[in-house]
Amino acid sequence: MTRLSASRMHHLPQSVKQSAYDRASCGVGILHLGIGAFHRAHQAVYTDDILAEAGGDWAICGVSLRQRTVQEQLDPQDGLYCVVERDGAGDNCRVIGAVTETIFAPGDPAALVARMADPAIRIVSLTVTEKGYCHDPASGQLKLDDPGIVQDLKAPATPSTAIGYLVAGLAARWRGGIAPFTVMSCDNLPHNGRMLAGLVKAYAQELDPSLSDWIEREGAFPSTMVDRIVPATTDEDRTAIRELLDLEDEAVVVCEPFRQWVIEDRFTMGRPAWETAGAQLVEDVAPFEDMKLRLLNGSHSMLAYLGYLAGYETVAETMANPDFEKLVRRYMDEEATPTLALPGGVDIEGYKDQLIERFRNPALKHRTWQIAMDGSQKLPQRLLSVIRQQLKAGGPFEIAALTVAAWMRYVTGQDERGGAIDVRDPLAGRLASLAAETGSTPTALVGSYLGVEEVFGDDLPNAEAFRTAVEASVSHLYEMGARQTVAKHVAS
Ligand code: CS2
């Protein structure tokens, strides 16, 4: 069947929105590393809005660092794809035109570096997921022994990691007397801008300290908080869009209607007026980040591990069990909220009510398995930060500890019925062998998992109250399973 493309735009059904702007007249100003579903449904949508509103040279060059898939999906479609906003009330479909160029980095690393050195590129943004930063999740420091980093430091002109590309691009500009592009992380990491600045400088320092000084002096790494629930696209989604358009859209993305973007307003060479598309430009993103990471993402991880173990396939299915909904509420109210320095003007009760509604979205098939991925990289900022603060304050953290216990049971790789779990995590191999070596007595399992320093640091293994709570929860999970354990928690 024919693919969606520029020449087919006038054949689309009326219900499909299209922004009326001349794409050819918008030069590329943003290069984005990691053009997955999330970027296409989030930053690209805001950018599409501002291009429609005001034009300008802010179109996006979307880069894939690992797989050619997205390029293969987008190129035959002239970069066009649909974003389908979906909830119980139905679908809203819109074509996004902001991506006008794609690059598959491994195909020609030096060509990507040259593109990054082009003065027209004023912003390089990233959604490369937590593990794409090659950092130690507990300390936030660059892992100089990461195999990708080791290799990139040996051949810095032809890198493979996001950090390697950022520094190679910045170095080329430094040598060419061109101002540095702004580096804008859009991943779910705390103080993502500041942390990424640290990683980039640490790597540059290894190559040339004066390059690192220049980045320190001239560079900008704004932090951002990004929010939109975007499950992986399924074959079912592709079939539905084919029926709607009477065309094939290989790059379609399905997401919830909600979107939020809070950006620290610090750019070296200007930026699109994203505020006209609803983004919030602020001086300090930290309170927004903590609120989102601990309330939304912390709850998400809880629903993912406990929900998966309980046999639920999606977040909405998990939320349909009233005990799980109560547990999420209690975690948010009693454990996470007291640790937050709330951003001014935020109605926190309304925010939490809205989160519950978003998790319940019955039309979105957000798999617990998808969210459960890469837990070793996610737990520190989502849940361990809450636990640390509550330990200090003498406040409650039992539900967060139960989530850590559920993660531990999950990463052993065996579910409640003895079936295998397909654990996706950079530490999966090590976590599975630790479980195999120690057996599954709660004390032994918890003892060996708490020793994984890049997750738990050197403080949490020695926090007696925390260890006891996790051990108790691991015991309950093995004795009575996730559903009963959750029921017991909310009954107490
Ligand atoms: C999720 C996030 O997969 C996950 O870990 O918690 O992708 C979440 O859906 C987004 O951060 C929502 O903004």
Side-chain angles (χ1 to χ4, degrees):
M1 186 184 267
T2 316
R3 298 278 284 271
L4 170 69
S5 68
S7 63
R8 297 277 143 183
M9 288 293 273
H10 49 280
H11 295 301
L12 300 184
Q14 286 235 306
S15 64
V16 176
K17 277 186 249 130
Q18 356 180 342
S19 303
Y21 62 93
D22 176 22
R23 297 174 74 216
S25 70
C26 301
V28 169
I30 301 169
L31 184 138
H32 185 80
L33 302 178
I35 184 169
F38 185 75
H39 173 74
R40 300 206 299 282
H42 190 272
Q43 301 101 67
V45 174
Y46 283 87
T47 306
D48 194 65
D49 281 345
I50 63 98
L51 291 176
E53 171 94 15
D57 293 330
W58 290 114
I60 300 169
C61 166
V63 178
S64 301
L65 293 173
R66 313 217 165 283
Q67 279 158 3
R68 210 186 270 280
T69 325
V70 177
Q71 186 176 58
E72 285 167 354
Q73 291 168 343
L74 283 175
D75 283 6
Q77 303 184 179
D78 303 314
L80 297 167
Y81 61 93
C82 290
V83 168
V84 180
E85 295 180 358
R86 177 170 294 170
D87 64 10
D91 283 3
N92 256 313
C93 179
R94 150 172 184 196
V95 180
I96 300 297
V99 181
T100 59
E101 181 185 335
T102 63
I103 292 181
F104 170 59
D108 187 352
L112 172 54
V113 174
R115 191 74 181 96
M116 293 170 87
D118 180 344
I121 302 294
R122 284 157 288 159
I123 297 173
V124 173
S125 51
L126 298 86
T127 48
V128 293
T129 80
E130 294 84 352
K131 63 176 177 286
Y133 287 78
C134 305
H135 70 304
D136 179 282
S139 69
Q141 303 293 313
L142 182 67
K143 272 172 43 190
L144 281 167
D145 60 353
D146 177 276
I149 295 294
V150 171
Q151 189 203 314
D152 286 2
L153 282 170
K154 275 193 211 138
T158 51
S160 64
T161 66
I163 304 295
Y165 275 113
L166 288 172
V167 175
L170 287 167
R173 293 169 85 105
W174 177 54
R175 283 191 295 268
I178 304 161
F181 44 71
T182 299
V183 181
M184 182 174 67
S185 166
C186 296
D187 280 294
N188 288 317
L189 289 158
H191 321 298
N192 50 14
R194 200 171 69 210
M195 195 197 73
L196 178 55
L199 303 176
V200 163
K201 283 182 232 158
Y203 178 99
Q205 187 75 28
E206 296 291 314
L207 294 177
D208 185 339
S210 36
L211 168 63
S212 179
D213 291 347
W214 176 76
I215 296 172
E216 166 90 46
R217 239 183 8 258
E218 311 277 329
F221 296 78
S223 285
T224 67
M225 180 270 248
V226 291
D227 190 7
R228 178 165 241 186
I229 293 175
V230 189
T233 308
T234 62
D235 288 342
E236 224 179 316
D237 297 331
R238 290 198 189 88
T239 308
I241 198 76
R242 184 189 310 135
E243 274 158 22
L244 175 69
L245 303 182
D246 203 21
L247 291 171
E248 209 79 67
D249 178 1
E250 292 286 334
V252 60
V253 194
V254 176
C255 61
E256 63 173 343
F258 179 92
R259 68 181 197 198
Q260 187 179 11
W261 194 8
V262 188
I263 309 167
E264 194 182 339
D265 202 357
R266 216 146 46 82
F267 289 78
T268 53
M269 304 175 79
R271 60 166 175 81
W274 281 309
E275 62 273 30
T276 59
Q280 295 155 266
L281 277 298
V282 301
E283 244 171 61
D284 183 13
V285 178
F288 292 94
E289 282 183 325
D290 286 344
M291 177 178 79
K292 193 251 169 176
L293 282 169
R294 295 179 192 182
L295 292 176
L296 188 156
N297 298 111
S299 303
H300 243 178
S301 292
M302 170 181 313
L303 290 164
Y305 297 116
L306 288 165
Y308 185 97
L309 291 174
Y312 296 124
E313 188 172 356
T314 66
V315 171
E317 259 178 51
T318 313
M319 286 294 283
N321 178 329
D323 290 337
F324 283 70
E325 180 177 329
K326 261 187 233 148
L327 191 79
V328 171
R329 256 284 175 206
R330 273 183 51 183
Y331 160 73
M332 292 206 266
D333 291 341
E334 294 168 19
E335 302 186 7
T337 308
T339 69
L340 299 173
L342 291 177
V346 166
D347 162 17
I348 191 68
E349 293 309 315
Y351 183 80
K352 289 189 278 189
D353 289 344
Q354 194 181 27
L355 282 182
I356 298 281
E357 275 316 301
R358 292 169 64 195
F359 295 155
R360 289 166 63 106
N361 186 337
L364 220 53
K365 303 269 175 286
H366 201 187
R367 294 178 68 194
T368 48
W369 176 81
Q370 187 188 348
I371 303 168
M373 266 188 238
D374 296 340
S376 67
Q377 316 292 302
K378 293 174 176 173
L379 289 187
Q381 58 276 16
R382 296 180 177 204
L383 290 141
L384 304 182
S385 55
V386 169
I387 291 169
R388 285 196 172 91
Q389 244 172 279
Q390 290 291 24
L391 277 167
K392 240 187 246 154
F397 56 83
E398 281 68 24
I399 305 175
L402 167 61
T403 305
V404 173
W407 170 76
M408 288 180 175
R409 170 134 206 209
Y410 182 93
V411 296
T412 62
Q414 214 183 61
D415 70 20
E416 291 184 359
R417 287 161 301 280
I421 303 175
D422 179 7
V423 179
R424 302 284 173 93
D425 192 293
L427 301 188
R430 195 163 131 213
L431 294 166
S433 356
L434 280 175
E437 282 158 26
T438 47
S440 56
T441 77
T443 317
L445 187 72
V446 172
S448 92
Y449 278 167
L450 286 184
V452 179
E453 200 174 335
E454 55 265 62
V455 178
F456 295 101
D458 54 13
D459 56 337
L460 285 178
N462 302 313
E464 236 1 84
F466 170 61
R467 177 187 290 264
T468 314
V470 179
E471 276 175 14
S473 285
V474 169
S475 301
H476 292 148
L477 288 172
Y478 275 98
E479 281 158 20
M480 53 179 122
R483 288 192 199 200
Q484 288 309 316
T485 303
V486 170
K488 186 173 127 51
H489 259 269
V490 295
S492 66

